[in-house]
């Protein structure tokens, strides 16, 4: 990772804090354990290592692309969606991406996946928290993804 004096900005954009508080606490504990300091904001910061939590909207992808191009920077992404590529089938939450589950409808799934792929050129590294999501064959749909596992205390 970066120099331990580098501020780590967890950019949550449109995500409600109450919906991602577990992920934020897990990440904060892991970073603190390794001596890093973290802030949470709704914007990308020029003087920080930016890690975004996925679930991007179209306007957020535009912001990411503009920020990265203007500042010659890339970002990291905390992957929380259960995206897998098995037997030639793109899946989210263990079902074909086109199907609806009790948790998430197909339109939302397709939108989240498309926006993640649309930001791909700006993303230099990805994280997952612990062993979930598994991201089976994720590199086949996101070829340059280096996915690191963040472990808690």
């Amino acid at each position: 990772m970066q120099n331990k004096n580098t501020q780590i900005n967890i950019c949550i954009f449109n995500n409600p804090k109450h919906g991602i508080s577990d992920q934020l606490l897990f990440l904060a504990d892991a970073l603190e354990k390794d001596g890093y300091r973290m802030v949470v904001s709704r914007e990308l910061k020029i003087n920080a290592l930016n890690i975004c939590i996925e679930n991007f909207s179209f306007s957020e992808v535009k912001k990411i692309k503009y920020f990265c191009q203007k500042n010659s920077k890339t970002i990291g992404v905390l992957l929380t969606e259960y995206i897998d590529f098995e037997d030639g089938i793109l899946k989210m939450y263990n079902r074909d991406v086109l199907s609806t589950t009790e948790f998430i409808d197909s339109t939302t799934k397709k939108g989240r996946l498309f926006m993640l792929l649309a930001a791909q050129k700006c993303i230099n590294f990805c994280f997952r928290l612990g062993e979930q999501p598994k991201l089976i064959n994720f590199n086949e749909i996101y070829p340059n993804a280096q996915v690191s596992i963040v472990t808690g205390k």
Side-chain angles (χ1 to χ4, degrees):
M1 202 121 103
Q2 300 270 324
N3 176 322
K4 294 196 182 201
N5 292 323
T6 300
Q7 183 180 64
I8 298 175
N9 177 49
I10 308 301
C11 181
I12 64 172
F13 286 125
N14 66 335
N15 289 294
K17 285 184 183 176
H18 67 274
I20 57 171
S21 59
D22 289 349
Q23 289 104 336
L24 291 174
L25 288 172
F26 190 103
L27 191 54
D29 284 347
L31 291 170
E32 182 181 285
K33 174 184 79 174
D34 288 335
Y36 294 97
R37 56 192 179 98
M38 160 188 127
V39 297
V40 176
S41 76
R42 296 198 179 275
E43 297 295 328
L44 298 166
K45 295 182 181 274
I46 186 70
N47 294 322
L49 174 65
N50 290 284
I51 300 173
C52 299
I53 294 184
E54 65 182 327
N55 185 16
F56 307 136
S57 68
F58 179 74
S59 65
E60 289 157 354
V61 170
K62 282 176 55 175
K63 285 179 189 178
I64 290 168
K65 287 181 174 182
Y66 178 78
F67 175 85
C68 291
Q69 184 176 28
K70 179 182 176 194
N71 301 299
S72 299
K73 292 188 85 155
T74 58
I75 63 167
V77 173
L78 177 59
L79 298 168
T80 59
E81 304 288 359
Y82 287 64
I83 303 169
D84 298 311
F85 188 66
E86 294 180 289
D87 303 320
I89 299 171
L90 185 57
K91 297 179 180 181
M92 285 182 81
Y93 300 96
N94 298 317
R95 295 211 180 132
D96 184 302
V97 74
L98 301 175
S99 68
T100 296
T101 68
E102 62 282 350
F103 174 67
I104 189 169
D105 64 80
S106 64
T107 302
T108 302
K109 287 195 301 187
K110 288 185 290 187
R112 288 182 182 180
L113 182 60
F114 181 77
M115 290 300 131
L116 179 63
L117 293 172
Q120 185 172 14
K121 289 183 180 177
C122 298
I123 298 170
N124 189 37
F125 55 94
C126 301
F127 296 101
R128 69 180 191 187
L129 301 178
E131 295 302 316
Q132 298 294 335
K134 292 206 181 305
L135 305 170
I136 298 167
N137 298 319
F138 185 71
N139 61 332
E140 290 188 35
I141 57 171
Y142 220 92
N144 296 320
Q146 296 288 333
V147 180
S148 298
I149 299 172
V150 177
T151 56
K153 287 185 175 181

